[in-house]
Amino acid sequence: MQRKPPSCVVFSHGYEESDALRKLSTLAILFAASAFLAGARLPPQGPMPEPRPDAGQATNPTSPSSEKAEPPAPEEVPAPQPKPDLKDPEAPVPSQPPVPQAAPSKPGPTEPMQGPPRPPGSPESSQPPTEEKPPGEQTLEEQHLTIEPESDAEHAECTAALQSLGVAFKDTPRIDDGNGCGIDKPIIVSEALPGIRLKPEATMRCPAALALARWMKDSVIPAASAALPEQGRITTVNQATSYMCRLRNGAGTGKISEHARGNAIDIASFHFEKGEDVAVRSRREDSTLTGAFQRTVSAAGCLYFTTVLDPESDAAHETHFHLDVIERKGGYRYCH
């Protein structure tokens, strides 16, 4: 018995139907996708990229977005605002550039006001301020000095010491020549020591006379005996200046002289019994015993006086010793 082959028609027909269905499904999907894509429209203008800060914005005159957000014209771009003053960190940033402020024209409280003169009678108009001169440029009148007072006890003690040394002196009334010149308790000395005249008589304060007597007794007389024994003893001390109302070195301005206060005496020469007078002059290079005598008594003067100026000091003292008893801070002495 012969077997019948399977029906190819049926199989072919079923395969053709299946293939047709797949094609129809594919077409349907493509159609649906086409319809979907056709319905989904892109926006007429996509988003515009943001411009860089240093580049100008590209504009499209035909696009709607360029009409809505048009970049400002160059002249409308606001200028950069200045930073606030660093001295005032809390100052707000101004909306407009600040106008520079001029320096205040009002002077400080110690400076006179600038402008037209004040009317007569107004404050500070009758007495204009004056600048005070330095002490070295003031005259004696401008210094407004006064006479230094002396206690009775100290004066009595000093005069007792003079009497014990044999100094010939007398008291004299108070001297007041104005401007601080004068002596509260002056004395007039006629003999520096017994038998040694002071020529001419010297008006001074007692402390200056006491220093002179001690210098003569302890230094000058022994030095003269050692250096110039052949000339005998000293009989006279010639003085050039004692009390005198003036400034130092006779200047027109500067500090008051100790002569004007009775504290100083200038010694010009020593007179001996025999031979010539020993005049005070420059003897730095004098190798004789006379030169040694002068240098010795000059150096010894600083043991008794607080100031000693000799001919080697300056031109103002080429012919005498200047000796004074000014009191300085700390007991300082100046000897040259």
Side-chain angles (χ1 to χ4, degrees), residues 193-218:
L193 286 174
I196 301 179
R197 288 191 307 157
L198 191 58
K199 183 181 180 180
E201 295 179 339
T203 302
M204 61 182 73
R205 289 179 62 236
C206 182
L210 184 58
L212 176 65
R214 289 173 173 172
W215 175 59
M216 291 290 302
K217 179 178 182 294
D218 297 337

PDB file of all heavy atoms in Angstrom, residues 193-218:
ATOM      1  N   LEU A 193      93.016 136.137 100.981  1.00  0.00           N
ATOM      2  CA  LEU A 193      93.576 135.554 102.188  1.00  0.00           C
ATOM      3  C   LEU A 193      94.339 136.663 102.915  1.00  0.00           C
ATOM      4  O   LEU A 193      94.602 137.735 102.321  1.00  0.00           O
ATOM      5  CB  LEU A 193      94.513 134.394 101.845  1.00  0.00           C
ATOM      6  CG  LEU A 193      93.872 133.067 101.384  1.00  0.00           C
ATOM      7  CD1 LEU A 193      94.950 132.095 100.947  1.00  0.00           C
ATOM      8  CD2 LEU A 193      93.004 132.452 102.479  1.00  0.00           C
ATOM      9  N   PRO A 194      94.688 136.462 104.137  1.00  0.00           N
ATOM     10  CA  PRO A 194      95.447 137.519 104.833  1.00  0.00           C
ATOM     11  C   PRO A 194      96.723 137.892 104.085  1.00  0.00           C
ATOM     12  O   PRO A 194      97.533 137.025 103.717  1.00  0.00           O
ATOM     13  CB  PRO A 194      95.781 136.884 106.196  1.00  0.00           C
ATOM     14  CG  PRO A 194      94.712 135.872 106.394  1.00  0.00           C
ATOM     15  CD  PRO A 194      94.398 135.337 105.031  1.00  0.00           C
ATOM     16  N   GLY A 195      96.887 139.158 103.782  1.00  0.00           N
ATOM     17  CA  GLY A 195      98.081 139.656 103.108  1.00  0.00           C
ATOM     18  C   GLY A 195      98.031 139.508 101.597  1.00  0.00           C
ATOM     19  O   GLY A 195      98.987 139.889 100.910  1.00  0.00           O
ATOM     20  N   ILE A 196      96.952 138.974 101.037  1.00  0.00           N
ATOM     21  CA  ILE A 196      96.837 138.832  99.575  1.00  0.00           C
ATOM     22  C   ILE A 196      95.620 139.638  99.125  1.00  0.00           C
ATOM     23  O   ILE A 196      94.467 139.220  99.326  1.00  0.00           O
ATOM     24  CB  ILE A 196      96.703 137.367  99.143  1.00  0.00           C
ATOM     25  CG1 ILE A 196      97.912 136.563  99.615  1.00  0.00           C
ATOM     26  CG2 ILE A 196      96.575 137.276  97.618  1.00  0.00           C
ATOM     27  CD1 ILE A 196      97.839 135.085  99.249  1.00  0.00           C
ATOM     28  N   ARG A 197      95.903 140.788  98.541  1.00  0.00           N
ATOM     29  CA  ARG A 197      94.809 141.657  98.117  1.00  0.00           C
ATOM     30  C   ARG A 197      94.102 141.085  96.886  1.00  0.00           C
ATOM     31  O   ARG A 197      94.724 140.416  96.059  1.00  0.00           O
ATOM     32  CB  ARG A 197      95.332 143.055  97.783  1.00  0.00           C
ATOM     33  CG  ARG A 197      95.761 143.881  98.983  1.00  0.00           C
ATOM     34  CD  ARG A 197      96.001 145.314  98.563  1.00  0.00           C
ATOM     35  NE  ARG A 197      96.928 145.412  97.431  1.00  0.00           N
ATOM     36  CZ  ARG A 197      96.977 146.450  96.593  1.00  0.00           C
ATOM     37  NH1 ARG A 197      96.129 147.455  96.725  1.00  0.00           N
ATOM     38  NH2 ARG A 197      97.859 146.483  95.623  1.00  0.00           N
ATOM     39  N   LEU A 198      92.837 141.389  96.796  1.00  0.00           N
ATOM     40  CA  LEU A 198      92.055 141.092  95.592  1.00  0.00           C
ATOM     41  C   LEU A 198      91.801 142.429  94.922  1.00  0.00           C
ATOM     42  O   LEU A 198      91.107 143.304  95.464  1.00  0.00           O
ATOM     43  CB  LEU A 198      90.733 140.405  95.969  1.00  0.00           C
ATOM     44  CG  LEU A 198      89.930 139.793  94.809  1.00  0.00           C
ATOM     45  CD1 LEU A 198      90.750 138.760  94.042  1.00  0.00           C
ATOM     46  CD2 LEU A 198      88.650 139.171  95.331  1.00  0.00           C
ATOM     47  N   LYS A 199      92.423 142.620  93.769  1.00  0.00           N
ATOM     48  CA  LYS A 199      92.404 143.926  93.106  1.00  0.00           C
ATOM     49  C   LYS A 199      91.746 143.815  91.741  1.00  0.00           C
ATOM     50  O   LYS A 199      92.177 143.008  90.905  1.00  0.00           O
ATOM     51  CB  LYS A 199      93.843 144.433  92.985  1.00  0.00           C
ATOM     52  CG  LYS A 199      93.970 145.819  92.372  1.00  0.00           C
ATOM     53  CD  LYS A 199      95.431 146.211  92.267  1.00  0.00           C
ATOM     54  CE  LYS A 199      95.597 147.593  91.661  1.00  0.00           C
ATOM     55  NZ  LYS A 199      97.019 147.993  91.545  1.00  0.00           N
ATOM     56  N   PRO A 200      90.706 144.635  91.482  1.00  0.00           N
ATOM     57  CA  PRO A 200      89.986 145.441  92.477  1.00  0.00           C
ATOM     58  C   PRO A 200      89.127 144.577  93.396  1.00  0.00           C
ATOM     59  O   PRO A 200      89.055 143.371  93.204  1.00  0.00           O
ATOM     60  CB  PRO A 200      89.113 146.350  91.607  1.00  0.00           C
ATOM     61  CG  PRO A 200      88.849 145.535  90.380  1.00  0.00           C
ATOM     62  CD  PRO A 200      90.090 144.721  90.139  1.00  0.00           C
ATOM     63  N   GLU A 201      88.492 145.194  94.371  1.00  0.00           N
ATOM     64  CA  GLU A 201      87.588 144.447  95.239  1.00  0.00           C
ATOM     65  C   GLU A 201      86.538 143.734  94.391  1.00  0.00           C
ATOM     66  O   GLU A 201      86.092 144.256  93.357  1.00  0.00           O
ATOM     67  CB  GLU A 201      86.911 145.379  96.244  1.00  0.00           C
ATOM     68  CG  GLU A 201      87.880 146.020  97.234  1.00  0.00           C
ATOM     69  CD  GLU A 201      87.160 146.956  98.189  1.00  0.00           C
ATOM     70  OE1 GLU A 201      86.037 147.413  97.852  1.00  0.00           O
ATOM     71  OE2 GLU A 201      87.717 147.246  99.272  1.00  0.00           O
ATOM     72  N   ALA A 202      86.130 142.568  94.855  1.00  0.00           N
ATOM     73  CA  ALA A 202      85.207 141.739  94.067  1.00  0.00           C
ATOM     74  C   ALA A 202      83.889 141.559  94.798  1.00  0.00           C
ATOM     75  O   ALA A 202      83.871 141.186  95.982  1.00  0.00           O
ATOM     76  CB  ALA A 202      85.824 140.370  93.797  1.00  0.00           C
ATOM     77  N   THR A 203      82.799 141.839  94.088  1.00  0.00           N
ATOM     78  CA  THR A 203      81.459 141.600  94.622  1.00  0.00           C
ATOM     79  C   THR A 203      80.996 140.229  94.156  1.00  0.00           C
ATOM     80  O   THR A 203      81.000 139.941  92.949  1.00  0.00           O
ATOM     81  CB  THR A 203      80.487 142.684  94.138  1.00  0.00           C
ATOM     82  OG1 THR A 203      80.963 143.967  94.549  1.00  0.00           O
ATOM     83  CG2 THR A 203      79.094 142.455  94.692  1.00  0.00           C
ATOM     84  N   MET A 204      80.569 139.389  95.079  1.00  0.00           N
ATOM     85  CA  MET A 204      80.182 138.023  94.734  1.00  0.00           C
ATOM     86  C   MET A 204      79.360 137.411  95.858  1.00  0.00           C
ATOM     87  O   MET A 204      79.167 138.046  96.915  1.00  0.00           O
ATOM     88  CB  MET A 204      81.425 137.168  94.479  1.00  0.00           C
ATOM     89  CG  MET A 204      82.345 137.041  95.686  1.00  0.00           C
ATOM     90  SD  MET A 204      83.841 136.071  95.354  1.00  0.00           S
ATOM     91  CE  MET A 204      84.758 137.207  94.350  1.00  0.00           C
ATOM     92  N   ARG A 205      78.903 136.208  95.635  1.00  0.00           N
ATOM     93  CA  ARG A 205      78.240 135.432  96.685  1.00  0.00           C
ATOM     94  C   ARG A 205      79.314 134.797  97.577  1.00  0.00           C
ATOM     95  O   ARG A 205      80.436 134.547  97.142  1.00  0.00           O
ATOM     96  CB  ARG A 205      77.360 134.341  96.100  1.00  0.00           C
ATOM     97  CG  ARG A 205      76.101 134.843  95.416  1.00  0.00           C
ATOM     98  CD  ARG A 205      75.294 133.686  94.849  1.00  0.00           C
ATOM     99  NE  ARG A 205      74.856 132.783  95.904  1.00  0.00           N
ATOM    100  CZ  ARG A 205      75.105 131.471  95.947  1.00  0.00           C
ATOM    101  NH1 ARG A 205      75.810 130.896  94.987  1.00  0.00           N
ATOM    102  NH2 ARG A 205      74.658 130.737  96.954  1.00  0.00           N
ATOM    103  N   CYS A 206      78.924 134.502  98.791  1.00  0.00           N
ATOM    104  CA  CYS A 206      79.872 133.918  99.732  1.00  0.00           C
ATOM    105  C   CYS A 206      80.436 132.585  99.251  1.00  0.00           C
ATOM    106  O   CYS A 206      81.644 132.345  99.411  1.00  0.00           O
ATOM    107  CB  CYS A 206      79.192 133.753 101.094  1.00  0.00           C
ATOM    108  SG  CYS A 206      80.288 133.085 102.353  1.00  0.00           S
ATOM    109  N   PRO A 207      79.643 131.654  98.663  1.00  0.00           N
ATOM    110  CA  PRO A 207      80.238 130.387  98.216  1.00  0.00           C
ATOM    111  C   PRO A 207      81.360 130.568  97.203  1.00  0.00           C
ATOM    112  O   PRO A 207      82.337 129.805  97.213  1.00  0.00           O
ATOM    113  CB  PRO A 207      79.041 129.648  97.602  1.00  0.00           C
ATOM    114  CG  PRO A 207      77.861 130.183  98.330  1.00  0.00           C
ATOM    115  CD  PRO A 207      78.176 131.635  98.546  1.00  0.00           C
ATOM    116  N   ALA A 208      81.269 131.570  96.300  1.00  0.00           N
ATOM    117  CA  ALA A 208      82.345 131.804  95.341  1.00  0.00           C
ATOM    118  C   ALA A 208      83.596 132.330  96.041  1.00  0.00           C
ATOM    119  O   ALA A 208      84.729 131.942  95.712  1.00  0.00           O
ATOM    120  CB  ALA A 208      81.879 132.791  94.271  1.00  0.00           C
ATOM    121  N   ALA A 209      83.431 133.199  97.026  1.00  0.00           N
ATOM    122  CA  ALA A 209      84.576 133.717  97.779  1.00  0.00           C
ATOM    123  C   ALA A 209      85.245 132.612  98.587  1.00  0.00           C
ATOM    124  O   ALA A 209      86.484 132.573  98.707  1.00  0.00           O
ATOM    125  CB  ALA A 209      84.118 134.849  98.703  1.00  0.00           C
ATOM    126  N   LEU A 210      84.456 131.685  99.133  1.00  0.00           N
ATOM    127  CA  LEU A 210      85.017 130.590  99.907  1.00  0.00           C
ATOM    128  C   LEU A 210      85.818 129.633  99.019  1.00  0.00           C
ATOM    129  O   LEU A 210      86.905 129.173  99.403  1.00  0.00           O
ATOM    130  CB  LEU A 210      83.889 129.845 100.618  1.00  0.00           C
ATOM    131  CG  LEU A 210      84.310 128.709 101.558  1.00  0.00           C
ATOM    132  CD1 LEU A 210      85.247 129.225 102.659  1.00  0.00           C
ATOM    133  CD2 LEU A 210      83.078 128.047 102.179  1.00  0.00           C
ATOM    134  N   ALA A 211      85.305 129.351  97.822  1.00  0.00           N
ATOM    135  CA  ALA A 211      86.049 128.493  96.887  1.00  0.00           C
ATOM    136  C   ALA A 211      87.364 129.159  96.475  1.00  0.00           C
ATOM    137  O   ALA A 211      88.408 128.491  96.357  1.00  0.00           O
ATOM    138  CB  ALA A 211      85.193 128.204  95.657  1.00  0.00           C
ATOM    139  N   LEU A 212      87.338 130.471  96.267  1.00  0.00           N
ATOM    140  CA  LEU A 212      88.556 131.199  95.906  1.00  0.00           C
ATOM    141  C   LEU A 212      89.586 131.120  97.023  1.00  0.00           C
ATOM    142  O   LEU A 212      90.789 130.874  96.769  1.00  0.00           O
ATOM    143  CB  LEU A 212      88.206 132.661  95.602  1.00  0.00           C
ATOM    144  CG  LEU A 212      89.386 133.584  95.294  1.00  0.00           C
ATOM    145  CD1 LEU A 212      90.093 133.162  94.007  1.00  0.00           C
ATOM    146  CD2 LEU A 212      88.914 135.043  95.215  1.00  0.00           C
ATOM    147  N   ALA A 213      89.180 131.331  98.256  1.00  0.00           N
ATOM    148  CA  ALA A 213      90.110 131.295  99.387  1.00  0.00           C
ATOM    149  C   ALA A 213      90.719 129.907  99.555  1.00  0.00           C
ATOM    150  O   ALA A 213      91.940 129.780  99.798  1.00  0.00           O
ATOM    151  CB  ALA A 213      89.378 131.718 100.665  1.00  0.00           C
ATOM    152  N   ARG A 214      89.932 128.868  99.461  1.00  0.00           N
ATOM    153  CA  ARG A 214      90.458 127.509  99.616  1.00  0.00           C
ATOM    154  C   ARG A 214      91.406 127.146  98.484  1.00  0.00           C
ATOM    155  O   ARG A 214      92.422 126.470  98.705  1.00  0.00           O
ATOM    156  CB  ARG A 214      89.295 126.522  99.694  1.00  0.00           C
ATOM    157  CG  ARG A 214      88.515 126.631 101.006  1.00  0.00           C
ATOM    158  CD  ARG A 214      87.263 125.766 100.989  1.00  0.00           C
ATOM    159  NE  ARG A 214      86.618 125.756 102.311  1.00  0.00           N
ATOM    160  CZ  ARG A 214      85.423 125.209 102.552  1.00  0.00           C
ATOM    161  NH1 ARG A 214      84.743 124.638 101.551  1.00  0.00           N
ATOM    162  NH2 ARG A 214      84.919 125.248 103.777  1.00  0.00           N
ATOM    163  N   TRP A 215      91.095 127.566  97.242  1.00  0.00           N
ATOM    164  CA  TRP A 215      91.979 127.305  96.090  1.00  0.00           C
ATOM    165  C   TRP A 215      93.316 128.002  96.296  1.00  0.00           C
ATOM    166  O   TRP A 215      94.390 127.402  96.075  1.00  0.00           O
ATOM    167  CB  TRP A 215      91.284 127.795  94.821  1.00  0.00           C
ATOM    168  CG  TRP A 215      92.083 127.708  93.558  1.00  0.00           C
ATOM    169  CD1 TRP A 215      92.632 126.591  92.998  1.00  0.00           C
ATOM    170  CD2 TRP A 215      92.426 128.795  92.690  1.00  0.00           C
ATOM    171  NE1 TRP A 215      93.286 126.906  91.811  1.00  0.00           N
ATOM    172  CE2 TRP A 215      93.158 128.257  91.598  1.00  0.00           C
ATOM    173  CE3 TRP A 215      92.157 130.168  92.701  1.00  0.00           C
ATOM    174  CZ2 TRP A 215      93.646 129.054  90.566  1.00  0.00           C
ATOM    175  CZ3 TRP A 215      92.627 130.969  91.664  1.00  0.00           C
ATOM    176  CH2 TRP A 215      93.367 130.400  90.605  1.00  0.00           C
ATOM    177  N   MET A 216      93.284 129.254  96.740  1.00  0.00           N
ATOM    178  CA  MET A 216      94.523 129.997  96.969  1.00  0.00           C
ATOM    179  C   MET A 216      95.352 129.350  98.077  1.00  0.00           C
ATOM    180  O   MET A 216      96.571 129.160  97.925  1.00  0.00           O
ATOM    181  CB  MET A 216      94.191 131.448  97.342  1.00  0.00           C
ATOM    182  CG  MET A 216      93.616 132.273  96.209  1.00  0.00           C
ATOM    183  SD  MET A 216      94.833 132.636  94.927  1.00  0.00           S
ATOM    184  CE  MET A 216      96.090 133.491  95.856  1.00  0.00           C
ATOM    185  N   LYS A 217      94.733 128.994  99.173  1.00  0.00           N
ATOM    186  CA  LYS A 217      95.452 128.462 100.334  1.00  0.00           C
ATOM    187  C   LYS A 217      96.056 127.077 100.060  1.00  0.00           C
ATOM    188  O   LYS A 217      97.223 126.819 100.399  1.00  0.00           O
ATOM    189  CB  LYS A 217      94.504 128.392 101.536  1.00  0.00           C
ATOM    190  CG  LYS A 217      95.125 127.828 102.801  1.00  0.00           C
ATOM    191  CD  LYS A 217      94.109 127.849 103.936  1.00  0.00           C
ATOM    192  CE  LYS A 217      94.740 127.320 105.236  1.00  0.00           C
ATOM    193  NZ  LYS A 217      95.106 125.890 105.153  1.00  0.00           N
ATOM    194  N   ASP A 218      95.235 126.167  99.445  1.00  0.00           N
ATOM    195  CA  ASP A 218      95.654 124.769  99.313  1.00  0.00           C
ATOM    196  C   ASP A 218      96.397 124.462  98.021  1.00  0.00           C
ATOM    197  O   ASP A 218      97.103 123.436  97.955  1.00  0.00           O
ATOM    198  CB  ASP A 218      94.429 123.847  99.412  1.00  0.00           C
ATOM    199  CG  ASP A 218      93.757 123.945 100.764  1.00  0.00           C
ATOM    200  OD1 ASP A 218      94.434 124.358 101.740  1.00  0.00           O
ATOM    201  OD2 ASP A 218      92.551 123.632 100.853  1.00  0.00           O
TER     202      ASP A 218
END
